[in-house]
Amino acid sequence: MEIGIIYGLVFIIGTLFGSFFTLAVYRIPEGLDILHEHSFCPNCGGKLKARDLIPVLSYIVLGGKCRYCGKKIRIRYLILEILSGIVFLLFFLSLKFDFTYITKYQVINFIFFILYFAGLFIIAGIDKERKTIQKEVLVYEMIVSILFMVYVCISRAKVIYTYIIYLAFFAIVLLIDILIIRKNLKSNYTMSMIELALCMIAFSGTERFYYSVAFCFIYIALERIILMIKDKEKRKSIINTGKIELPMGYYLIISNIFLNILCNFLLN
Ligand SMILES: [Zn+2]
């Protein structure tokens, strides 16, 4: 019974995060404030009330429409909130906490992973919508990853030199990236992907990272096949142009989150 309440809470927190993610995905690329400014309807600009901000429920109460102008709210937001709740719950379950004995280490680890996933969700969302890896969010993710590495280094202090090599590599990548940005005045997608990969290695280790890459390609291939079967027009365009721009960051992130949860379930 009590455990059920904990699971329910984790799911609700997940949907709250999900509602924040959708807001961040919409606002960050536009350069809008994500923390202080009131939420508003993108169609009429009407300010949302506190009760309109409750994930899932407010969508159902309002019938999926804006309170002021009646414009339909994309169902994608509802789906994303629920998905975020499910991912949070699955991740929590995958850690198989023993509630009679929770260590400080487990709690800190859990918080680090939530911060890590939060950044991933936002990067994935922006990449899917705009096919760019948002630098600000990536910088946040890199800071979280480096802090996590330092924390692991201090708390376990086993083989420090691997962490030092990792951090040195990270520093070199960042330096090259800064030089590229200074030359072209804009960030490079490939460079951002390498930085994203380094963040993933920090959190999930090299082995799970390789699996994520493998899974990512299987995922893309399957999606292409389904798309080509479902949509004849698309099939023609894929075959004719032979070139498709894919939000690689998005695919890799979905794969990494999925694999982290799956490996936790199987191994812990
Ligand atoms: Zn409106």
Side-chain angles (χ1 to χ4, degrees):
M1 180 59 197
E2 272 172 16
I3 287 173
I5 292 170
I6 294 171
Y7 292 157
L9 266 177
V10 172
F11 177 78
I12 290 167
I13 292 168
T15 61
L16 282 168
F17 265 91
S19 146
F20 172 71
F21 298 151
T22 55
L23 175 141
V25 167
Y26 172 74
R27 285 193 186 181
I28 292 173
E30 304 276 338
L32 299 170
D33 186 6
I34 49 167
L35 293 175
H36 302 100
E37 221 171 306
H38 244 281
S39 289
F40 55 86
C41 164
N43 186 47
C44 66
K47 283 203 168 73
L48 302 189
K49 294 182 174 142
R51 65 187 150 157
D52 298 341
L53 299 175
I54 307 163
V56 186
L57 274 182
S58 63
Y59 188 94
I60 295 164
V61 170
L62 293 170
K65 286 182 192 128
C66 168
R67 175 186 296 281
Y68 304 101
C69 65
K71 173 133 174 130
K72 273 205 158 211
I73 304 165
R74 285 158 82 188
I75 189 134
R76 173 181 284 181
Y77 293 134
L78 176 71
I79 295 169
L80 282 175
E81 281 169 3
I82 294 172
L83 267 180
S84 168
I86 292 172
V87 169
F88 266 57
L89 184 58
L90 281 178
F91 176 63
F92 188 74
L93 287 171
S94 79
L95 294 173
K96 295 175 187 158
F97 279 127
D98 174 6
F99 291 109
T100 51
Y101 184 72
I102 291 177
T103 61
K104 190 175 72 184
Y105 174 72
Q106 283 174 318
V107 174
I108 295 172
N109 220 35
F110 181 69
I111 293 170
F112 259 120
F113 263 89
I114 293 302
L115 294 175
Y116 167 64
F117 283 154
L120 284 188
F121 269 113
I122 297 169
I123 293 172
I126 296 174
D127 191 25
K128 180 122 170 64
E129 296 264 306
R130 300 173 182 246
K131 294 205 178 76
T132 47
I133 304 228
Q134 194 74 26
K135 210 74 200 181
E136 294 94 318
V137 194
L138 188 59
V139 168
Y140 155 86
E141 198 71 345
M142 287 191 272
I143 293 169
V144 173
S145 304
I146 290 169
L147 286 178
F148 182 66
M149 272 278 135
V150 172
Y151 162 72
V152 172
C153 200
I154 294 167
S155 66
R156 290 184 214 165
K158 270 192 295 187
V159 265
I160 293 176
Y161 67 92
T162 48
Y163 299 110
I164 292 171
I165 292 169
Y166 169 86
L167 287 174
F169 191 64
F170 216 135
I172 292 167
V173 168
L174 280 179
L175 197 72
I176 296 170
D177 195 18
I178 291 166
L179 290 175
I180 290 175
I181 292 173
R182 287 196 67 174
K183 210 175 168 194
N184 303 329
L185 291 170
K186 69 175 181 143
S187 178
N188 176 297
Y189 196 89
T190 315
M191 226 42 222
S192 299
M193 282 299 288
I194 294 172
E195 285 156 5
L196 182 64
L198 281 170
C199 295
M200 289 181 174
I201 291 169
F203 272 92
S204 48
T206 42
E207 205 171 317
R208 283 189 193 186
F209 172 72
Y210 295 144
Y211 286 135
S212 305
V213 173
F215 184 82
C216 170
F217 285 114
I218 296 169
Y219 175 27
I220 293 172
L222 281 176
E223 201 191 66
R224 290 292 108 187
I225 291 167
I226 292 168
L227 260 179
M228 280 167 83
I229 293 169
K230 259 174 52 181
D231 194 334
K232 287 230 169 78
E233 283 298 305
K234 263 223 170 92
R235 182 179 169 173
K236 269 185 207 152
S237 75
I238 290 173
I239 292 170
N240 286 340
T241 59
K243 198 179 154 194
I244 354 149
E245 257 190 37
L246 290 175
M248 286 306 292
Y250 161 80
Y251 288 106
L252 189 60
I253 286 170
I254 301 289
S255 307
N256 187 250
I257 293 175
F258 171 76
L259 256 146
N260 264 311
I261 293 173
L262 186 73
C263 289
N264 280 351
F265 268 119
L266 296 177
L267 302 175
N268 281 350

